Amino acid sequence: MERFKFLRFFSFRTQHDFLPSSNPVRENLINGANTDTNGEHRDGFFSNLVYGFLRRFKSGKKIDGGSKTEEEEKVYSWLYALARSEIYMAFEYVRSTERGLSFTEAEKRLKENGPNTPLEYTFPSSWHLLWSAFFHPFNIILIVLSALSYITSDNPNGCIMLILVFISVSLRFYQEYGSSKAAMQLSEYVRSPVKVQRCAGRVVQTELIVQVDQRDVVPGDIVIFEPGDLFPGDVRLLTSKHLVVSQSSLTGESWPTEKTADAREDRSTPLLELKNICFMGTNVVSGTGTGLVVSTGSKTYISAVFSTIGKHKPADSFEKGIRHISYVLVGVMLLVVTIMILVEYFTFYDLSESTLFGISVACALTPQMLPLIINTSLAKGALAMARERCIVKSLSAIRDMGSMDILCIDKTGTLTMNRAIMVNHLDSWGAPREKVLHFAFLNSYFKSDQKYPLDDAILAFVYTNGYRFQPSKWRKTDEIPFDFMRRRVSVILETESNPEGRNIQPFYRFIITKGALEDVLKVCSYVENVDMGEITAVSAEHHHRILNVVEELRNEGLRIIGVAIKNLQQTKISKQNMENEDDVESDMVFLGVIAFFDPPKDSAKEALWRLAEKGVKAKVLTGDSLSLAIKICKEVGIRTTHVTTGPELEQLNQEAFHEKVKKATVLARLTPSQKLRVVQSLQSVGNHVVGFLGDGINDSLALDAANVGISVDSAASVAKDLADIILLEKDLNVLVAGVEQGRLTFGNTMKYIKLSVIANLGSVVSLFIVTLVLRFEPLTPIQLLVQNFLYSVGQIAIPWDRMEEDYVKIPQKCSGGKLDESFFRSAYFIQGLLMQTLIFHLIRTEKIPFIMEIASWPVLASTVVISAIGIAIPFSIIGDFMGFTDLPLSYFGFLVVLFVGYFTVGQIVKRIYIVVYKKWL
């Protein structure tokens, strides 16, 4: 059952439905883009119509994640077309003008396109959830048997079965209802006012700036934005000034990106890196600008991506296996019950008694406690995980954790401590220099703007390592705060002693700047050579050397900031205009860099090792840089032999994509849709049960698609809503306990299923044989029902049983999927040959073979030789030629049990034959 259901998007009937109305120029633009993407073009209205009609019948196709959805392809094509176009062409494509839309036109488009909400969704009704919980094969069987029991006046048995159905349905309904209200937090994107430029007037049109609700924004509107504003749709920038945008809701990267209206992009640029396109749901960090709204509502990028939530949840292999067993049991039950009724009737000629006896046999065949045992096992597992500080939202997730063999995790906060620790202070030659640390410390100490984690890391490093920089001898006179355009912060300090060692003035003033390396280097004209005791102009050689030093540090997964200073002479400082930042932060001396590291958790390496021991492989899926991800993975023991990035995956065809995903252990710079595609590829092509651990909005798609979605208590609301399990602590060791509990739950559930099927079938077969031989019922219907009831009640304790240690060491999966034909033929070949070879020993004597009577040695030798040859063939070259495959050792254990049962039944049949033959024949 899907947790929730999104209403479908506005229909994409043609390629140009993204636009307010059709236009030949725009049609050619979009169709051309799609032709480049797909490598094919379907000509003609009729072929498009037929293709669209036939595609309706393919909705159930297997989703393997190797390619984008059709909706995504259309969004990509439309946005790339606008990114490549000049601004005047963008106006033409959306049928707007530089003055904006008129109020009448905007109202008309709002009626045509509907409200500007990113996703239209509704929650499943209580009746829908109740029906889903009720409609289970075993529930239907129990209800039918209960009705038949009431018809035949067997009221106690009918009542018991209805109570079991009620308990099972109630537990399932409560589980589904509690997790049905997901993705509601996406509505927070549509509740803010937006400044829009509209035009008014019949003769002379006047441009007006009005404020409208985001839901009323339409394609063609011109929006005005400033820091803090959310983009109301996908926007093509018209103007921009120092514009910096946060796309963390889409990429997961906390660092913002610069945008500019003047950029001209091409298809080689990743979509989320387009400089002149801003996306719905992202926000302005700094700067201002105007933009042309090109897509709203369900046609935006965020809608095309996040619309897949709730639609691509993989089929539950366990539920499929249970249903498969159910259908087999129903077929067997109908066949056996029909035979039993006919035998009973032609023996005693009492239809009423025969029918009652048949119903009793049907009840004996049905594992009545199965729904209750399953839900009790899951509930017990949820309580056990609650003691490990886990909140289990979906009971079925516990069972899936027992089958999980791949865990996809985000790096930040899961493998690492999610905090910066300073590790080094180097000059431009890469040598440790205390002077670099000294001035970086003074900057962090005196800045009055909000202190960031990097400032805290610098201060902590100085204090814990015993440095005495005496900040009391300095006095701050001014400050240029940090902003995301400059990406640096500067303080102006005054001291009576020259830190450079030459006291020739009554006091000294310095401007100390630190920030993003590239932006600090922009304002530096000089570089200090401490070894030579001189300051020289920055040359191309200096610049190249600094970048090489920094590149080596970044390849080790370190985060780098630059430090620079300038000695402000008293005569010059009085002439400085502190409001002119460009004049103050200029001609500075580059000192060096400070390196930081987000260290891995102490428990992460141990937890990953424990998971690997239990057959769960870890893959890192992150939006961070590849070098940083590799550094962390090496620290915690994850192999980095095969790594890849989102832009690399984007260039691969479907087959190469699956192969790359299969091998890679580290996948960096991934977008939300790429994370989704990776998870789907592992599930469908790799046939894995996948867990995904994430905590951001950008993880929502993967969390929803994974077999087991795992989040943390501090995660974004959407992530917690979509997760099956919420960890109250960011500790992977909790997952180890969850995996063990899942396998215990899975094992006990399967234990009851196997026990019920074998015992019930054996009981019915014995009833059938004894009835034929003795010619009377061995048990009356009421005796049979009481016996079955007592047996079923005795199985309620199974969820509290233990499993062998070896069982919980490997992932457990329920059968019921596609049968391996080579395996089956190999097993059937050996079983059939041994049956035919050994049957001679069964029929050659009336005594028990191999125990009371042994054949001659030539017969025994031929049996052994033929059996050995038959067993060896599937493992030999001849077996490969014949299409056989190797068989696991566990198969031969099963074979021994099979032959013991075969010989036992054969011996019983043989004895019955002998008795009947001697008495009647």
Side-chain angles (χ1 to χ4, degrees):
M1 167 62 199
E2 297 175 356
R3 296 185 184 87
F4 56 89
K5 182 183 293 183
F6 285 100
L7 292 178
R8 66 178 181 83
F9 281 4
F10 301 113
S11 299
F12 291 123
R13 294 191 180 91
T14 63
Q15 298 282 12
H16 39 276
D17 273 345
F18 282 95
L19 309 175
S21 58
S22 60
N23 177 301
V25 176
R26 293 194 295 271
E27 285 184 30
N28 294 333
L29 178 71
I30 302 302
N31 285 335
N34 280 340
T35 302
D36 293 339
T37 303
N38 300 327
E40 60 180 280
H41 181 70
R42 291 184 292 274
D43 295 312
F45 171 78
F46 181 75
S47 61
N48 279 335
L49 184 65
V50 173
Y51 176 80
F53 176 76
L54 294 177
R55 192 167 54 84
R56 294 174 182 267
F57 297 97
K58 298 173 65 178
S59 58
K61 68 179 181 180
K62 189 175 183 180
I63 301 171
D64 59 17
S67 58
K68 302 185 190 76
T69 64
E70 184 177 353
E71 288 77 10
E72 286 182 272
E73 286 287 2
K74 291 180 178 181
V75 170
Y76 273 58
S77 298
W78 173 233
L79 292 178
Y80 272 118
L82 287 159
R84 294 196 301 261
S85 304
E86 296 283 359
I87 291 177
Y88 76 91
M89 288 299 296
F91 280 111
E92 172 64 21
Y93 296 153
V94 296
R95 298 188 64 184
S96 185
T97 67
E98 295 180 357
R99 294 180 177 180
L101 298 175
S102 66
F103 288 92
T104 303
E105 178 65 20
E107 185 177 351
K108 176 184 175 183
R109 294 190 180 187
L110 183 61
K111 291 180 179 179
E112 291 176 352
N113 295 311
N116 179 28
T117 55
L119 296 171
E120 294 187 9
Y121 52 86
T122 183
F123 301 129
S125 66
S126 300
W127 289 109
H128 185 82
L129 292 173
L130 185 61
W131 172 253
S132 176
F134 170 79
F135 195 77
H136 188 280
F138 277 116
N139 290 335
I140 302 301
I141 293 172
L142 290 176
I143 290 174
V144 170
L145 293 177
S146 175
L148 293 175
S149 297
Y150 279 114
I151 292 173
T152 56
S153 302
D154 186 12
N155 297 336
N157 192 55
C159 183
I160 290 171
M161 285 186 282
L162 286 180
I163 291 174
L164 293 175
V165 171
F166 175 78
I167 295 174
S168 175
V169 171
S170 298
L171 286 173
R172 185 64 179 270
F173 173 76
Y174 176 78
Q175 168 199 340
E176 296 291 344
Y177 185 77
S179 58
S180 65
K181 298 182 178 179
M184 175 65 83
Q185 297 301 322
L186 289 175
S187 62
E188 64 190 29
Y189 290 137
V190 299
R191 298 296 180 185
S192 57
V194 180
K195 290 182 181 178
V196 176
Q197 178 178 304
R198 297 266 173 89
C199 58
R202 293 186 177 181
V203 180
V204 179
Q205 292 191 330
T206 305
E207 299 170 5
L208 300 175
I209 305 298
V210 296
Q211 204 168 55
V212 300
D213 190 278
Q214 182 165 338
R215 289 169 294 184
D216 297 332
V217 174
V218 296
D221 268 331
I222 297 175
V223 294
I224 298 94
F225 43 82
E226 55 191 23
D229 288 346
L230 283 170
F231 286 98
D234 291 342
V235 172
R236 169 62 161 92
L237 292 178
L238 302 177
T239 62
S240 61
K241 181 178 180 182
H242 304 326
L243 182 61
V244 178
V245 175
S246 172
Q247 298 186 153
S248 60
S249 60
L250 299 178
T251 65
E253 293 184 354
S254 57
W255 200 256
T257 181
E258 296 181 23
K259 299 283 187 176
T260 176
D262 299 328
R264 289 287 302 278
E265 301 286 3
D266 56 42
R267 189 80 189 203
S268 63
T269 306
L271 184 70
L272 294 178
E273 296 180 15
L274 295 175
K275 294 294 185 182
N276 57 8
I277 299 291
C278 296
F279 301 92
M280 187 178 197
T282 62
N283 64 283
V284 179
V285 175
S286 64
T288 57
T290 60
L292 177 66
V293 178
V294 297
S295 300
T296 60
S298 60
K299 298 172 186 176
T300 57
Y301 172 79
I302 191 173
S303 297
V305 171
F306 285 90
S307 66
T308 58
I309 290 178
K311 298 180 180 179
H312 296 338
K313 199 71 174 178
D316 191 324
S317 61
F318 184 86
E319 287 293 334
K320 286 170 62 178
I322 294 296
R323 291 180 183 273
H324 181 76
I325 294 172
S326 303
Y327 298 142
V328 171
L329 282 179
V330 169
V332 171
M333 184 176 66
L334 292 175
L335 176 63
V336 171
V337 169
T338 302
I339 294 174
M340 294 293 290
I341 291 176
L342 291 175
V343 169
E344 181 79 7
Y345 175 74
F346 286 112
T347 302
F348 305 107
Y349 299 99
D350 187 340
L351 182 59
S352 176
E353 188 69 18
S354 300
T355 303
L356 181 58
F357 185 72
I359 294 173
S360 302
V361 171
C363 292
L365 268 175
T366 305
Q368 301 173 16
M369 291 290 178
L370 180 60
L372 184 60
I373 292 291
I374 291 176
N375 288 297
T376 302
S377 297
L378 296 177
K380 176 181 173 291
L383 291 175
M385 292 189 67
R387 290 192 290 269
E388 299 288 341
R389 296 186 58 75
C390 291
I391 298 174
V392 179
K393 293 176 56 185
S394 173
L395 293 179
S396 60
I398 301 173
R399 183 188 61 234
D400 290 335
M401 286 195 74
S403 306
M404 184 176 70
D405 55 355
I406 285 186
L407 175 63
C408 299
I409 53 181
D410 187 16
K411 173 190 68 64
T412 305
T414 304
L415 297 178
T416 66
M417 295 182 179
N418 200 21
R419 61 184 177 90
I421 292 180
M422 180 183 158
V423 293
N424 222 329
H425 44 93
L426 309 173
D427 63 15
S428 58
W429 273 260
R433 295 297 174 190
E434 185 176 311
K435 186 175 183 179
V436 179
L437 176 62
H438 186 186
F439 282 100
F441 167 79
L442 292 175
N443 180 289
S444 297
Y445 184 89
F446 282 102
K447 60 174 287 194
S448 58
D449 191 20
Q450 177 185 1
K451 282 186 168 53
Y452 293 96
L454 300 186
D455 295 307
D456 295 334
I458 293 173
L459 298 178
F461 184 87
V462 170
Y463 294 143
T464 56
N465 287 277
Y467 291 99
R468 299 183 180 277
F469 292 139
Q470 298 178 309
S472 60
K473 293 185 177 181
W474 295 78
R475 182 173 62 88
K476 186 175 77 170
T477 60
D478 213 332
E479 176 177 353
I480 305 175
F482 178 88
D483 66 64
F484 282 99
M485 187 60 195
R486 292 167 45 254
R487 297 200 299 173
R488 57 183 180 262
V489 57
S490 298
V491 294
I492 297 178
L493 305 181
E494 185 179 282
T495 182
E496 294 181 358
S497 60
N498 188 351
E500 297 178 334
R502 299 182 300 275
N503 290 313
I504 56 176
Q505 296 181 123
F507 61 90
Y508 298 85
R509 286 181 180 173
F510 289 86
I511 176 172
I512 307 172
T513 300
K514 79 173 191 305
L517 177 72
E518 293 78 5
D519 292 274
V520 171
L521 283 174
K522 285 180 183 179
V523 297
C524 291
S525 302
Y526 306 94
V527 62
E528 183 175 60
N529 189 333
V530 178
D531 290 336
M532 300 180 62
E534 63 180 9
I535 295 176
T536 59
V538 175
S539 63
E541 181 183 352
H542 288 136
H543 194 268
H544 183 69
R545 185 185 63 251
I546 293 170
L547 293 182
N548 284 341
V549 169
V550 171
E551 183 66 22
E552 291 180 4
L553 294 173
R554 285 176 173 167
N555 287 338
E556 295 178 4
L558 301 180
R559 184 173 178 179
I560 306 300
I561 64 171
V563 181
I565 64 170
K566 182 166 70 170
N567 191 339
L568 301 174
Q569 299 295 332
Q570 182 179 2
T571 54
K572 292 184 179 181
I573 197 67
S574 61
K575 298 177 183 179
Q576 294 277 1
N577 182 2
M578 293 305 301
E579 294 182 358
N580 192 334
E581 299 170 357
D582 294 336
D583 290 340
V584 177
E585 294 179 330
S586 63
D587 296 329
M588 302 189 72
V589 179
F590 183 78
L591 293 184
V593 298
I594 304 292
F596 302 89
F597 183 50
D598 184 4
K601 292 179 178 177
D602 296 334
S603 61
K605 188 171 185 178
E606 177 191 358
L608 290 173
W609 180 77
R610 292 175 62 192
L611 285 170
E613 269 194 328
K614 299 186 181 304
V616 181
K617 298 178 181 179
K619 288 180 180 286
V620 173
L621 277 59
T622 179
D624 290 330
S625 66
L626 180 61
S627 60
L628 184 56
I630 290 176
K631 171 67 174 178
I632 295 296
C633 290
K634 287 181 177 179
E635 292 283 339
V636 298
I638 297 178
R639 292 183 179 180
T640 56
T641 307
H642 299 285
V643 299
T644 189
T645 63
E648 290 176 2
L649 291 176
E650 202 67 30
Q651 304 301 318
L652 301 178
N653 60 37
Q654 193 165 344
E655 183 177 350
F657 177 90
H658 294 314
E659 187 63 25
K660 178 69 73 172
V661 168
K662 175 184 176 182
K663 293 181 178 179
T665 54
V666 181
L667 300 95
R669 296 181 62 199
L670 297 182
T671 65
S673 58
Q674 286 171 338
K675 289 184 180 181
L676 169 66
R677 291 170 60 199
V678 168
V679 170
Q680 291 174 338
S681 174
L682 293 171
Q683 291 170 330
S684 57
V685 179
N687 195 30
H688 296 290
V689 177
V690 181
F692 186 90
L693 175 57
D695 57 4
I697 297 175
N698 59 304
D699 296 322
S700 300
L701 294 176
L703 280 170
D704 179 68
N707 300 87
V708 185
I710 309 165
S711 192
V712 293
D713 188 39
S714 58
S717 298
V718 176
K720 288 191 290 186
D721 284 340
L722 293 172
D724 301 304
I725 296 174
I726 297 177
L727 308 182
L728 300 182
E729 295 179 0
K730 287 187 177 182
D731 188 352
L732 290 178
N733 282 294
V734 177
L735 292 182
V736 178
V739 168
E740 293 175 345
Q741 190 62 47
R743 291 176 185 175
L744 178 64
T745 301
F746 187 96
N748 283 331
T749 303
M750 293 304 298
K751 190 183 300 180
Y752 173 78
I753 293 174
K754 290 185 288 186
L755 184 65
S756 297
V757 172
I758 294 172
N760 292 354
L761 282 176
S763 176
V764 170
V765 170
S766 65
L767 280 172
F768 178 71
I769 294 174
V770 173
T771 302
L772 284 177
V773 174
L774 300 181
R775 302 185 68 81
F776 66 83
E777 297 172 355
L779 292 173
T780 65
I782 189 64
Q783 291 171 341
L784 181 60
L785 291 172
V786 170
Q787 180 195 59
N788 186 59
F789 174 74
L790 292 175
Y791 168 77
S792 298
V793 170
Q795 309 310 311
I796 292 179
I798 285 180
W800 284 266
D801 195 13
R802 294 188 298 269
M803 296 298 300
E804 299 87 351
E805 290 185 6
D806 292 340
Y807 186 88
V808 298
K809 288 183 179 179
I810 57 175
Q812 303 296 329
K813 297 183 180 180
C814 187
S815 60
K818 184 178 179 180
L819 186 63
D820 188 329
E821 294 180 1
S822 297
F823 175 85
F824 180 83
R825 287 167 178 163
S826 303
Y828 195 76
F829 174 81
I830 293 177
Q831 177 265 335
L833 178 64
L834 295 184
M835 286 285 190
Q836 295 175 30
T837 303
L838 296 177
I839 195 172
F840 171 76
H841 296 272
L842 185 64
I843 65 174
R844 63 173 290 275
T845 177
E846 295 182 3
K847 299 179 181 179
I848 301 176
F850 302 114
I851 297 177
M852 299 177 63
E853 173 67 19
I854 301 177
S856 64
W857 74 263
V859 175
L860 287 176
S862 67
T863 299
V864 172
V865 171
I866 296 300
S867 299
I869 293 174
I871 293 174
I873 285 178
F875 297 90
S876 65
I877 298 176
I878 298 175
D880 294 337
F881 175 76
M882 296 174 65
F884 291 138
T885 186
D886 294 348
L887 295 169
L889 188 61
S890 58
Y891 165 74
F892 294 98
F894 162 77
L895 204 59
V896 171
V897 175
L898 179 65
F899 282 132
V900 170
Y902 177 78
F903 267 71
T904 302
V905 173
Q907 197 66 23
I908 293 173
V909 172
K910 183 171 68 175
R911 298 303 301 170
I912 294 173
Y913 172 79
I914 292 172
V915 171
V916 172
Y917 179 82
K918 289 182 177 180
K919 185 174 182 179
W920 283 290
L921 301 179

